[in-house]
């Protein structure tokens, strides 16, 4: 088998809202050669920022789900999220592909992607509350709902879970994640 025929690993970054998944991914993209991020399709208004995503209506999401279909999709916080099938092509030319997933779709993701490395990002409840309020993307009621969901357990039976504590400095979490990911990356695509 030639090196180019091996697909890059899908690297799922998961954890409660506000834990720092987007911040960690942005830092890893700057530091790791050949690492790319798969954009998500979300039924969220386009101007809210926080990550680069394809904003669609509920109707458009439902249509795309039928054709061309998604690699993976789920619902959370009253929104629908999807990973497009384009991820397959991205895996042919990257050292690794980062995706932001819900914890509840991880077993499905393992089945869909084969090589799935999971970065499970954690922080204390107090830290989460402070970060969500400082970020200010959601109103207070929505922040309360997100905090109530924070303790969602990881599914049992996952094969490769790496826990990254982001309660402290972001730089420490980035270093830990980079070190843990190195053995999984496709070095010939850097
Ligand atoms: N280690 C850190 N120290 C201080 N602030 C941080 C740290 N990590 C992230 N933040 C800040 O916390 C807020 C939430 O981070 P971020 O948006 O990356 O979280 P998230 O897990 O992607 O959230 P969501 O799932 O809701 O999109 C942001 O304002 C970010 O700048
Ligand atoms: O709590 P669980 O199910 O793990 O995650 C649910 C969703 O919450 C976050 O959404 P957003 O990025 O804040 O819109 C994650 O990205 C994920 O899609």
């Amino acid at each position: 088998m030639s090196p180019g025929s091996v697909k890059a690993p899908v690297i799922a970054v998961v954890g409660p809202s506000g834990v720092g998944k987007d911040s960690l991914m942005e830092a890893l993209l700057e530091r790791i050669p050949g690492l790319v991020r798969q954009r998500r399709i979300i039924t969220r208004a386009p101007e809210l920022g926080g990550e680069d995503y394809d904003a669609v209506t509920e109707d458009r999401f439902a249509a795309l789900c039928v054709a061309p279909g998604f690699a993976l999709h789920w619902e959370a916080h009253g929104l629908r999220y999807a990973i497009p099938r384009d991820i397959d092509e991205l895996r042919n030319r990257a050292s690794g592909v980062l995706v932001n997933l819900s914890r509840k779709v991880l077993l499905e993701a393992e089945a869909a992607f084969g090589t799935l490395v999971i970065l499970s990002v954690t922080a204390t409840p107090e830290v989460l509350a402070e970060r969500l309020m400082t970020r200010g993307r959601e109103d207070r009621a929505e922040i309360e709902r997100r905090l109530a969901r924070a303790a969602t357990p990881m599914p049992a039976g996952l094969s490769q879970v790496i826990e990254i504590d982001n309660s402290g400095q972001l730089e420490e979490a980035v270093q830990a994640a980079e070190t843990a990911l190195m053995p999984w990356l496709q070095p010939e695509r850097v």
Side-chain angles (χ1 to χ4, degrees), residues 61-77:
F61 190 98
L64 289 171
C65 195
V66 173
F70 297 129
L72 202 62
H73 64 100
W74 66 97
E75 186 276 337
H77 315 304

Side-chain angles (χ1 to χ4, degrees), residues 14-17 21-22 40 42 44 51 74 76-77 79 81 100-104 135 137-138 146 149 152:
V14 303
S17 186
K21 300 182 293 294
D22 282 316
R40 302 193 293 181
I42 309 178
R44 178 158 55 204
E51 74 178 86
W74 66 97
H77 315 304
L79 300 172
Y81 300 79
N100 179 337
L101 298 183
S102 164
R103 290 163 285 186
K104 68 186 178 190
R135 182 175 69 178
R137 189 179 71 188
E138 291 81 20
R146 284 174 179 247
R149 189 191 173 87
T152 301

Side-chain angles (χ1 to χ4, degrees), residues 74-153:
W74 66 97
E75 186 276 337
H77 315 304
L79 300 172
R80 292 178 196 282
Y81 300 79
I83 302 299
R85 290 191 165 157
D86 305 354
I87 192 170
D88 204 45
E89 198 276 320
L90 214 47
R91 293 180 73 189
N92 292 330
R93 55 186 170 86
S95 63
V97 180
L98 290 173
V99 287
N100 179 337
L101 298 183
S102 164
R103 290 163 285 186
K104 68 186 178 190
V105 292
L106 289 174
L107 286 169
E108 204 184 319
E110 256 189 12
F113 300 131
T115 313
L116 181 76
V117 182
I118 299 164
L119 295 182
S120 171
V121 191
T122 62
T124 61
E126 295 76 20
V127 165
L128 291 180
E130 193 194 323
R131 287 188 189 159
L132 286 175
M133 282 187 271
T134 304
R135 182 175 69 178
R137 189 179 71 188
E138 291 81 20
D139 65 22
R140 201 172 183 92
E142 177 56 25
I143 288 174
E144 292 297 332
R145 281 193 287 274
R146 284 174 179 247
L147 290 172
R149 189 191 173 87
T152 301

